[in-house]
Structure formats: structure tokens, C-alpha cells
Amino acid sequence: MAVLLIAEISGGELAVDATAKAVTAATQLGDVTVLCAAVGCSGAAGAAAGISGVAKVLCADDAAYGNGLAEPVADLVVSLAGDYEHIIAPATNSAKNILPRVAALLDVMVISDITAVIDGNTFERPIYAGNALQTVQSSDATKVVSIRTSNFDAAGEGGSAAVDTIAAAGNPGLSEWVEDKVAASDRPELTSAGVVVSGGRGVGSEDDFALIEKLADALNAAVGASRAAVDSGYAPNDWQVGQTGKVVAPDLYVAVGISGAIQHLAGMKDSKIIVAINKDEEAPIFQVADFGLVADLFDAVPELTEKLA
């Protein structure tokens, strides 16, 4: 079977971690062709060609794809769909915008956030905030699937796939780019970081959230937040971890002042080691934590940060 994988591209560069993890899932389905659609995508295409398991790379270099607008990318994917049984992408914000449009144009269903491939028609995905696993079997001629990358290891390097340049599909002109507002950060990207430090409502204020950031910097970690912290204005939306935020599975997850609501656990419970700091010894977060510290975060976090520094 043939698989078309939509590469994750940001700022003209390949998001290697997300794409390589999606390749691991895709190779269980068949021969993998990676689609890079962006302005000046030759560099991203070259990086994709070096991922082990990739059979071919398609590079669509056109201004229509320069800002990741879903409508022209979806039209491009649909124009290529006839040659593939599976169209997949990592379950990023970009793919969550593109894949439903692709599925609608093909009149098929979307199978989202899969965590395992059983066979070419059958997949496993979490439901009920990760408390149950659903097995889904599709009879659609073309399967449109998003991959929860936290459940797959990244494919290695050493590939040598051919790169073919393809023409752009017609731009439907349904949307136009106005501007991007991107927060610059020297910290690791949240969904691919090896260490994540997250703060919750217990941190108390936006000013006090600096404690979380200082601890994260001492660990060279990404910063996360619970929905309660984001809704309270302590942290920006793109730091949110949980059912309605980002799903992470780092080697180390430090939860500070987070009670452990089921919606938050859905976004981080697959972390390899979970450390919880909370003054409430009955907090649900301790039920999933590998290490727990019952302490006032305003005492424990500065002391921990100082010792790490």
C-alpha cells in the first residue's frame, strides 16, 4: 500500500521530530511518500529525504503554500490522493486544519489522534480523555489519519529518498494570509521537549509563574501549564497541556501546583517519569506521579531551582 505523509513545516524548515515520528507510524502501512508544500521547500524536502523509511519526497514550491493556509494545501493533497491508500500527518495544529478539509473533499472520514496501527484498515485511538482506547476500522477507499506523535519513536536518519519537484495545484482563493504573531523562545518546543515543567492554578498569578520558568530554564526544559492556569491568565494558550491543549510525553514531566484533573492527565500521562509538587496530599496528580513532594511550591521550587543551578 502507498502512503502520503504531509510533512510538518514551520518557517520553511522541516519539523523533524514530528515528521520522523509520523514516518514510524506510516511505515507500518506501506511505502511512504512525504509531501513538502512550502515556499523554498528544497531544504525541508532534503531533510525529509534523509529520514529512514521514506521512499520518496514530493516538493511543491509555491507562494500559495508559503504561510500554511489549509485550503490550498488541501487542494494539493486531494490532487495527489488517487495514488495513495492512506493520507496521514502528525496531529499538529496545522494538520488538524488541513486533514478535515481533505477528508471532506474526498468524502471520507477522518481518523484522528491514532496511537497504534493494527493493520491497514484498523487503528487504535484514545477517547474519554484517554481513559479508554477505541479500535476503529475504516472501509473508506482512502484513509485520512492523524498521528499522535507522543506514542511513536522518531524514525532514524540515514535515508536517501529521491526528491521530485511537483507543480502546485490551483489555489481556490478561499483565504489569504494577513500576519503571524509568533512568540520567540530559546526554550525547547513543548511537544518535542525531553523535559517539561508545568504550572497550575496553585502558582497563583502571572508574576509568580516566573518560578516555573526559572525551574524550566535550570532543567533546559519547555514550559507548560494546566488549563486552569491558562484560563486564569497566568500563562499563554500555547503552553496549555491537556485534553484541549497539547499532548506531551517527555522523559521527565514536573507538575507544580497542578491538582491533576482528568483533562490535564490526558495530555501528559504517557510521560516516562512524572514528578508532582503540591501542598495538598490528596491531589489526584499523586496517583499518577512516580515521585511526589507534598510541600508549598513557593518554598520547594526556589530551593530546587537554586540547587539545580
Side-chain angles (χ1 to χ4, degrees), residues 63-132:
Y65 312 128
N67 297 289
L69 295 178
E71 290 84 358
V73 175
D75 275 16
L76 174 64
V77 172
V78 170
S79 73
L80 301 169
D83 296 328
Y84 302 95
E85 287 82 16
H86 298 85
I87 296 171
I88 72 171
T92 60
N93 289 337
S94 175
K96 289 174 182 178
N97 196 11
I98 295 169
L99 290 185
R101 300 173 191 276
V102 171
L105 291 168
L106 294 175
D107 194 23
V108 299
M109 68 182 292
V110 180
I111 305 173
S112 60
D113 276 319
I114 70 160
T115 54
V117 175
I118 297 174
D119 59 39
N121 300 317
T122 314
F123 309 90
E124 199 172 81
R125 62 185 298 273
I127 57 173
Y128 300 127
N131 284 290

Side-chain angles (χ1 to χ4, degrees), residues 8-35:
E8 179 71 10
I9 298 176
S10 178
E13 297 183 359
L14 182 73
V16 177
D17 185 75
T19 304
K21 288 177 177 178
V23 167
T24 298
T27 53
Q28 299 177 46
L29 296 168
D31 294 332
V32 180
T33 297
V34 175
L35 171 64

Side-chain angles (χ1 to χ4, degrees), residues 10-245:
S10 178
E13 297 183 359
L14 182 73
V16 177
D17 185 75
T19 304
K21 288 177 177 178
V23 167
T24 298
T27 53
Q28 299 177 46
L29 296 168
D31 294 332
V32 180
T33 297
V34 175
L35 171 64
C36 295
V39 171
C41 64
S42 58
I51 298 174
S52 179
V54 174
K56 184 167 68 172
V57 177
L58 303 178
C59 177
D61 184 346
D62 192 272
Y65 312 128
N67 297 289
L69 295 178
E71 290 84 358
V73 175
D75 275 16
L76 174 64
V77 172
V78 170
S79 73
L80 301 169
D83 296 328
Y84 302 95
E85 287 82 16
H86 298 85
I87 296 171
I88 72 171
T92 60
N93 289 337
S94 175
K96 289 174 182 178
N97 196 11
I98 295 169
L99 290 185
R101 300 173 191 276
V102 171
L105 291 168
L106 294 175
D107 194 23
V108 299
M109 68 182 292
V110 180
I111 305 173
S112 60
D113 276 319
I114 70 160
T115 54
V117 175
I118 297 174
D119 59 39
N121 300 317
T122 314
F123 309 90
E124 199 172 81
R125 62 185 298 273
I127 57 173
Y128 300 127
N131 284 290
L133 291 175
Q134 180 183 60
T135 301
V136 180
Q137 188 173 71
S138 172
S139 59
D140 287 331
T142 304
K143 282 75 175 175
V144 178
V145 182
S146 68
I147 309 296
R148 179 171 286 194
T149 54
S150 61
N151 288 77
F152 295 90
D153 294 328
E157 299 179 353
S160 56
V163 178
D164 293 342
T165 300
I166 62 172
N171 187 346
L174 297 174
S175 61
E176 64 178 21
W177 175 81
V178 177
E179 65 174 330
D180 287 334
K181 293 183 178 180
V182 181
S185 175
D186 293 330
R187 298 189 183 103
E189 203 278 323
L190 181 56
T191 55
S192 60
V195 181
V196 174
V197 179
S198 284
R201 194 202 309 269
V203 177
S205 70
E206 182 179 5
D207 291 340
D208 287 332
F209 217 84
L211 294 173
I212 305 300
E213 297 181 61
K214 289 178 181 177
L215 178 57
D217 290 341
L219 291 168
N220 190 30
V223 179
S226 68
R227 178 170 180 171
V230 171
D231 287 349
S232 299
Y234 304 166
N237 289 337
D238 60 344
W239 288 4
Q240 184 177 323
V241 173
Q243 184 179 11
T244 54

